Structures are given as C-alpha cells and as structure tokens.
Amino acid sequence: MPQLTSTYLKEHLQSLHNTIENQSFLLALSGGADSMVLADLFLKAGISFEAAHVNYHLRGEDSNLDQQIVEDFCKEHNIILHTYDVSEKDNKPENSIELWAREIRYHFFFRLLEEQQLDFIVMGHHLNDQLETFIINLSKASGITGLSGIPENNNKILRPFLHITKVDIYKFAEENGVSFREDHTNQSKDYLRNQIRHDISPEMEKTNPHFWENFDKSISFLNQAKNFIEEQLQKILDDIIISETNDELILDKEKLASQSDFVRYEILKKYGFTNPVEQQKIFEADSGSRFKGNTLNLFIHRDQLIITPRNISEEETEQEIILIPDEPISIPEKMLLSENKLNLKPYWEIDLQKVVLPLKLRKAKSGDFFHPKGMKGKKLVSKFFKDEKISILARQKVWLLSDSEENVVGIINYRQDGRFLPENNNPKIYLYL
C-alpha cells in the first residue's frame, strides 16, 4: 500500500490530471479525519486551496462543533472558507437523508466552482469507502460500472485517497497532530453503509493479510476492463448511428437488435432506458411507438430509433392555443386569424358556418382524421404523416387547426381539410400563415 505523504499526494494528483500547476482546488472539509488529513497534506505539499463546509444541523451541537474545527483550521492557515447552513428552505425529507444531503453538498460545491472560478473539487474518500460502495453496488446488480467503484477523477472531482485505508489516515492524523472530529452517527447501523462498515468489512479483512492491497488491485483491474468495454461499445455505437445532431440521434434499429443482450442494454442505458422489459418492447414495437425516458424520448420510425430531448414532450403535445380574430401569434408559428381579407399570402379560407368557434391550434391525437383538400374521402392524420414521409421528430412539431369540437380543419403548412372550404356566399374567416 502507498505511504501517505505530501509527496504521494502531489504525485498522485499529478497522475490524475497530468499537471497541477496553475490549477485551483476546492477541498470539501467535513471536520472528520479524512478531509482534515487531506487539508493538512495539501498544506505540507505547498498546494494552495479554498475550502467548503456544509452544516446540515442534523446532530445538534455536534454539527456546530464540526464547523468550528474547520473554521479554526482555515483561520489558522489563512484559507478561504465557504460555508453553507442548511435550513428549512432545503426541505429535509423524512427518508433518504443521505441522498438529500449528498445533493445539497454537491450543488453547493459546483456552484462555488463556477462562482470562484476554481478548477477541481477534492474529496477525502478512501479505500474503505471504495469497498463499501463495491458491496452496495454488488447487492444492486449494477454491472461493471458499479463494481468499478468510486472514480478517482470524474466530473471535476478528484479523490486522491482511494488507494489509502482508513487506518492509515488515522495513523497519519495521530503522528502529525491533525485535529479532527469523529461523527458518532457513523457508529449507528441505521444506514446500509454503516452496517457494511461494522459487520462485513472487518470480516472480509480477516480473510487475507493482504486483503486491502488485493482489493485495491481488483478495483484497478475492473476499471481497466470497464474502460476496454466502453471503447468497444463506442466502436459498435459509431457503426449503429445513422446521424447525430444536437436535437436528434438516429440509430439503426436492426443493427442494434442484432447485438448481444449486453450490448443492447449498455447502449440503450446510455440514453436513460435501463429497464430490460422496456428495452425488449422497444425492439418489438411498431413504427410510430414512443418511449419516455427521464430526459429523452425514443421514437420508433420504421427501422430507426430516433432519440430526442424531452423538450418535445407529452406536455407540449397536449398544449392548445386558442385563436382570437385579429390577434396575431408568433408561437409556435407566425399566423393571424381574421374575418377580413387582407393582402397577405398564403392563407386559408374557412367557411364560418361549417366550424364551431373558437378555432384552436393543437397537436395530433390518436384517431384524428381529415379530408385532405383535393382528395376524395377521409384520411387518418397519422397515415398522412406516413405518406408524406414526415419523420417522427418532425411530426411532434406539426400543429393541427381544429374547431372547438375537435374537427381537424387542416394540418398547418401542409394541407387544409376540404370539408371546411367556403360555399356560396357563406361568411368566411381567413387564416394567414
């Protein structure tokens, strides 16, 4: 195992980011041994930094004493300290306290990175944390990514202690007179991580005198395997991608379907579709089907999978815009409904006696049909889209003109419904597109 020294810290930071020269760091200081030893080593290595502390006020006076030890340290060494006091506005939940606290601190840390123009957050996670995370992820069947553990360098977060055991951190603190406070809630077994820490990790450590060294090597091998697999997956994905823009990714459905279950799962997981049952449905679904992810939508269009942002979502699909005569609109399209014939083109003429006002703009619904101008008979709007070769993505942007009884008066910028064309001397209303 590596020896915990300022030289090790400096060299390891260098290995994580090529160079630490001219880089600025924000250290997350909780007041515990891990973070206070990290701060002490930064000082010994001559690396300047700012510090951040979150007081959750979950442990009464103990929380304030944690903050005090961090404040005293920073004051003694002239370190800029940023603190965040959790209050009622942070809406503490009854459950999932750990997740809630994690979201608060990371939001605070990343806000400081931007505001203070700093480069990296540095945290004191160590090898024992790595083992606990490994076991938790093992119990969740999280795959090789989860089993690879906590990353050392990810999303502007550096964790230089991941090869160091908790025992070595305590030993360094004792030998170098580093002050810290122990969080007594760590002794509680109310949380899964604490149960692993007190009941499982010690037993695993007894199995082999070189357990920690071997576990550290195993995590390294898993990370190498993960990196190799990700490289191969990217090569496969590059072959499957038909086109890619900021608004749309198109995959070859047949090529993806021909891959193994593992490859299909990993590629769709990249876009937020992680449920194996839902994934199977994607490959069995008919053209026109849609699947909703947290941030993305996936559309089936013939032999293609079209993935788009959720800004084209069901909420927008359900939106309606009432058209008021002589009040122009510019969203979603520039148009004007008027009872007067203006010198503007193009326009639709609509027989006022054939529609039930008010007219409105809306998105297409299942079962919508109309009678396209110049054609005989009715046609499903979905069939019109298909015949006109309007892509799934483009369909989400198309608006229909309908009356208050949901009759489709026309498909904006495509075709008017012939049933509502003026007859004889009936009064007319004009839609200027």
Side-chain angles (χ1 to χ4, degrees):
M1 301 299 295
Q3 186 177 359
L4 192 54
T5 64
S6 58
T7 300
Y8 167 78
L9 174 71
K10 205 165 187 176
E11 291 178 349
H12 196 58
L13 284 173
Q14 192 93 12
S15 71
L16 293 179
H17 188 62
N18 298 324
T19 178
I20 59 174
E21 299 297 328
N22 301 319
Q23 301 297 310
S24 52
F25 302 95
L26 177 71
L27 268 60
L29 301 187
S30 66
D34 318 329
S35 64
M36 299 310 291
V37 165
L38 180 65
D40 185 77
L41 281 169
F42 259 75
L43 288 175
K44 286 180 167 61
I47 306 173
S48 62
F49 63 93
E50 296 182 19
H53 174 80
V54 178
N55 189 337
Y56 300 101
H57 296 286
L58 293 174
R59 296 181 293 115
E61 185 59 23
D62 280 341
S63 292
N64 295 329
L65 291 174
D66 290 348
Q67 180 169 331
Q68 189 63 55
I69 200 170
V70 172
E71 289 177 345
D72 291 345
F73 177 87
C74 292
K75 184 176 181 180
E76 179 183 354
H77 299 287
N78 296 315
I79 297 165
I80 297 173
L81 173 63
H82 309 274
T83 60
Y84 184 82
D85 274 312
V86 174
S87 62
E88 291 183 0
K89 68 179 175 61
D90 292 298
N91 300 318
K92 186 184 79 171
E94 293 184 7
N95 301 308
S96 304
I97 297 295
E98 287 182 295
L99 179 60
W100 166 79
R102 184 182 187 277
E103 290 177 350
I104 285 176
R105 65 176 171 269
Y106 278 102
H107 181 269
F108 177 51
F109 296 158
F110 279 104
R111 177 165 62 82
L112 287 174
L113 275 195
E114 182 177 355
E115 291 177 354
Q116 304 301 315
Q117 296 185 324
L118 304 172
D119 296 310
F120 293 101
I121 299 164
V122 188
M123 306 190 78
H125 294 109
H126 46 76
L127 192 57
N128 296 61
D129 293 323
Q130 190 73 283
L131 177 63
E132 293 159 13
T133 300
F134 175 87
I135 295 172
I136 290 171
N137 288 339
L138 183 67
S139 70
K140 293 179 178 178
S142 60
I144 193 168
T145 299
L147 297 182
S148 300
I150 308 169
E152 288 188 277
N153 180 359
N154 181 56
N155 192 27
K156 292 187 174 292
I157 301 176
L158 303 180
R159 299 179 176 92
F161 280 3
L162 285 178
H163 303 284
I164 306 295
T165 65
K166 184 77 171 184
V167 168
D168 287 336
I169 291 173
Y170 279 138
K171 181 181 178 183
F172 181 94
E174 182 180 357
E175 292 177 350
N176 292 271
V178 178
S179 298
F180 64 90
R181 280 183 51 78
E182 198 69 65
D183 183 350
H184 295 294
T185 62
N186 288 336
Q187 304 304 315
S188 168
K189 294 184 181 180
D190 292 341
Y191 303 112
L192 175 59
R193 186 173 289 274
N194 285 356
Q195 294 173 24
I196 295 169
R197 181 174 303 158
H198 297 298
D199 296 337
I200 300 177
S201 295
E203 294 302 317
M204 296 183 73
E205 190 174 353
K206 292 176 185 177
T207 62
N208 190 318
H210 302 290
F211 171 79
W212 288 112
E213 182 179 354
N214 291 340
F215 173 68
D216 191 32
K217 289 180 180 177
S218 295
I219 289 293
S220 176
F221 294 150
L222 283 168
N223 269 289
Q224 291 176 49
K226 181 192 72 172
N227 292 338
F228 175 78
I229 290 170
E230 287 177 349
E231 289 175 4
Q232 299 307 308
L233 284 171
Q234 188 59 51
K235 290 179 181 178
I236 294 171
L237 180 58
D238 289 342
D239 181 57
I240 291 172
I241 292 175
I242 296 174
S243 66
E244 183 175 13
T245 67
N246 290 335
D247 299 321
E248 178 184 77
L249 173 70
I250 301 179
L251 305 180
D252 188 309
K253 181 183 175 184
E254 296 305 314
K255 282 187 177 181
L256 182 56
S258 69
Q259 298 295 325
S260 67
D261 291 345
F262 171 77
V263 171
R264 289 200 301 268
Y265 176 81
E266 290 296 322
I267 287 180
L268 288 175
K269 185 178 77 171
K270 288 170 64 72
Y271 306 105
F273 300 93
T274 59
N275 187 307
V277 175
E278 182 183 46
Q279 288 195 1
Q280 185 61 34
K281 289 180 179 178
I282 287 173
F283 292 103
E284 296 172 351
D286 295 330
S287 181
S289 300
R290 178 175 67 172
F291 296 83
K292 302 173 186 176
N294 289 331
T295 59
L296 299 171
N297 280 335
L298 185 150
F299 301 92
I300 311 295
H301 181 57
R302 298 176 182 170
D303 294 327
Q304 298 176 350
L305 303 180
I306 302 176
I307 299 171
T308 64
R310 282 289 299 269
N311 58 344
I312 302 171
S313 62
E314 63 277 8
E315 292 81 12
E316 180 180 331
T317 301
E318 294 169 0
Q319 182 181 357
E320 294 185 347
I321 300 174
I322 302 298
L323 295 179
I324 301 173
D326 299 315
E327 288 191 13
I329 66 168
S330 57
I331 297 174
E333 308 280 354
K334 290 183 178 180
M335 60 183 68
L336 173 67
L337 187 69
S338 177
E339 295 179 1
N340 301 309
K341 187 169 183 179
L342 307 174
N343 188 26
L344 297 172
K345 291 183 179 181
Y347 63 90
W348 288 355
E349 291 183 332
I350 302 162
D351 193 320
L352 267 175
Q353 292 188 0
K354 296 180 180 181
V355 294
V356 181
L357 297 179
L359 296 180
K360 61 185 177 181
L361 298 175
R362 64 171 175 84
K363 293 300 182 67
K365 301 175 183 178
S366 177
D368 274 338
F369 68 89
F370 78 131
H371 292 246
K373 178 182 175 182
M375 297 176 59
K376 291 184 178 180
K378 69 179 182 180
K379 192 169 196 175
L380 285 170
V381 170
S382 58
K383 182 68 163 55
F384 176 82
F385 286 156
K386 184 177 180 180
D387 291 346
E388 294 294 316
K389 294 183 171 54
I390 302 171
S391 74
I392 295 291
L393 178 61
R395 295 178 196 183
Q396 307 309 307
K397 301 177 181 179
V398 173
W399 291 80
L400 305 186
L401 177 69
S402 78
D403 68 4
S404 63
E405 293 187 347
E406 303 299 328
N407 297 304
V408 177
V409 181
I411 301 176
I412 299 299
N413 291 326
Y414 285 96
R415 193 74 60 87
Q416 189 176 355
D417 189 308
R419 293 173 297 169
F420 302 100
L421 294 174
E423 289 185 7
N424 305 320
N425 294 318
N426 289 350
K428 305 173 186 175
I429 194 166
Y430 302 87
L431 181 70
Y432 296 94
L433 305 173

